[in-house]
Amino acid sequence: MFLTFFLTDLFQDGFSKFQRMPCMAHTLQLAVKDALKVPSAVLSKARSIVHAVRKSSVANERMIQRCGRTLIRDCPTRWNSTFEMIKRLIETRPTLNEILEELGIDTLLSSEWTKLENLMKLLEPFATHTDQLQTDSQSLSEIVPALLNLEAHLQQTTNMEKQTVQVLLRSMRQRFAGILDPTHEKFDPTAGAASLMDPTVSLALTSPEMQHLKRAAETFVLDQALRYSQTSATMKDNAFELPSTSGGTNKTLQKYTFLATKILSTTNQVNSVDNSGSAVHEMQKYLDEVKRDNIEVRPLQYWQGRVAVYPKLAPVAIDLVCAPASQAFVERIFSVCGQLSSGLRSRMTTSLEQRVFLKVNRKFCY
């Protein structure tokens, strides 16, 4: 799975090598699956209980009658399904134990229930961040803080089997090295740059161990700001190629192609130096503002309101914070399109676009 950024034409050359990134939500779940591959007697026994209850119509009926819910079976292709299975087991524990005793099925020991609760606590932050990253409202800037938060969670976990925690931590560092480690051969600074330009999360890059990522993100943003300024200057200086309506200067330069090219090149070089210095000054000013003020406004609103204050950084920042964190929402749209365009709905006269719009936004209709 890959996430494609559709950025403006002004940034097309600058972002050409950073256009494809793995889907963050999917990659995060791959790391969780690596950890769940570690042999676990408790998890295997929990799956056996779920299978036995789901298979028995009597057990299912008694579960629904007594607590209004039944057990959830995990599925390899469904994100967070293992966490949901464990959570439902713990929530229905008293009722489940009664029914298992009535049917003569062995349940978990007290120590095994404790291990299952610890496993749920370990996976809960991953389930939360996966749900957040796969929404359509989550910005690319949220990726780095989410990964750092999960890493801190694993480092602080002490009541879980060390092997599972170590496998999960190692898998995360390997799978997300291209985002967090500037020395990695496939390092992409786009996510770090988006976090840096989001005033609500940029402080996550101020810790000592994140200084290398912060410097790489700053360099990337300043480089894109310079490219944007150069492109803008070139567009303004295109008068060398067109007849001027206000005088004869441009017409004269058109006669001397090489001289006009030399003057244009010199002007661009001067603008490049000025723009670079101005962008550096704006970056320092922005970082000082983030440290000084408690900014709670949405990042897009923040940059739209500060275009005049940061004219060099604002165009880059707006493109970065508008990029989505994952492609999960887009894939759900494709699934909806497939369902609505199937033969079962061939008699509907409303256009596919309108039907998809109504389906996706149905929660606002009530």
Side-chain angles (χ1 to χ4, degrees), residues 147-164:
L147 295 178
L148 297 179
N149 183 54
L150 291 174
E151 185 172 330
H153 162 64
L154 293 176
Q155 292 172 345
Q156 296 172 8
T157 300
T158 57
N159 56 356
M160 191 62 198
E161 295 182 6
K162 291 184 178 180
Q163 184 180 5
T164 303

Side-chain angles (χ1 to χ4, degrees), residues 320-335:
L320 288 171
V321 299
C322 285
S326 73
Q327 68 174 17
F329 181 76
V330 178
E331 291 188 349
R332 286 198 292 271
I333 296 294
F334 290 157
S335 298

Side-chain angles (χ1 to χ4, degrees), residues 69 71 83-96 108 112-121:
R69 289 179 291 180
L71 300 183
F83 168 77
E84 296 295 339
M85 179 190 72
I86 297 173
K87 183 179 178 181
R88 181 60 59 85
L89 279 169
I90 295 174
E91 290 175 346
T92 59
R93 175 180 175 180
T95 304
L96 177 63
L108 298 175
E112 293 174 331
W113 279 110
T114 302
K115 292 181 180 180
L116 204 62
E117 290 175 354
N118 292 335
L119 183 58
M120 185 188 72
K121 294 178 182 178

